Amino acid sequence: MDVISRESLSAQRAEAIVRAGHAASALAELVHDRQGSNDDDEHDPEGVTLSSEWSRLSALADAAADEVRQYDEALERWDAGDYGVCASCGRPIPEGRLEVRPFARLCVPCAEKTR
């Protein structure tokens, strides 16, 4: 792995933690702002409804937390000596795939089979 290193994985994980924190903070702020409110904003022609914003922020927070988890698993594979090895066929995962998706567990052919 010339381009991918444990340090780069750790740095990308740290960036993912920041994104997860921002998403969780925005969601917590929306929850706080909505507490005690029984406004029916579903028919408000101005802007985004609270429920759609809640859904959007929930999805962002979930995706960010999942990304952190995937980086944690990638670092565990690195430490175990399994990073960059396809979990299905055991062949090396091309470095180009790992540059795009550093926490990839499968090579492209095996990932396509799971679809």
Side-chain angles (χ1 to χ4, degrees), residues 2-70:
D2 295 334
V3 176
I4 306 292
S5 67
R6 190 178 200 298
E7 292 75 26
S8 68
L9 281 173
S10 293
Q12 291 176 57
R13 179 187 180 274
E15 292 170 8
I17 287 173
V18 169
R19 285 192 301 278
H22 288 309
S25 177
L27 181 58
E29 185 177 319
L30 179 67
V31 169
H32 177 266
D33 290 348
R34 192 166 183 182
Q35 283 179 342
S37 173
N38 60 357
D39 293 341
D40 177 17
D41 70 343
E42 296 301 316
H43 300 94
D44 185 359
E46 304 293 324
V48 179
T49 63
L50 285 175
S51 60
S52 69
E53 185 65 2
W54 186 309
S55 294
R56 185 185 76 81
L57 290 174
S58 292
L60 286 174
D62 290 347
D66 187 52
E67 185 179 6
V68 171
R69 181 192 54 76
Q70 290 180 76

Side-chain angles (χ1 to χ4, degrees), residues 4 20 41 71 78 87 100 105 113:
I4 306 292
D41 70 343
Y71 275 112
W78 186 284
V100 173
R105 295 180 56 248
K113 289 178 194 174

Side-chain angles (χ1 to χ4, degrees), residues 97 101 106 108-115:
R97 174 160 170 75
R101 190 169 175 83
L106 301 172
V108 173
C110 289
E112 288 177 344
K113 289 178 194 174
T114 63
R115 289 185 178 176

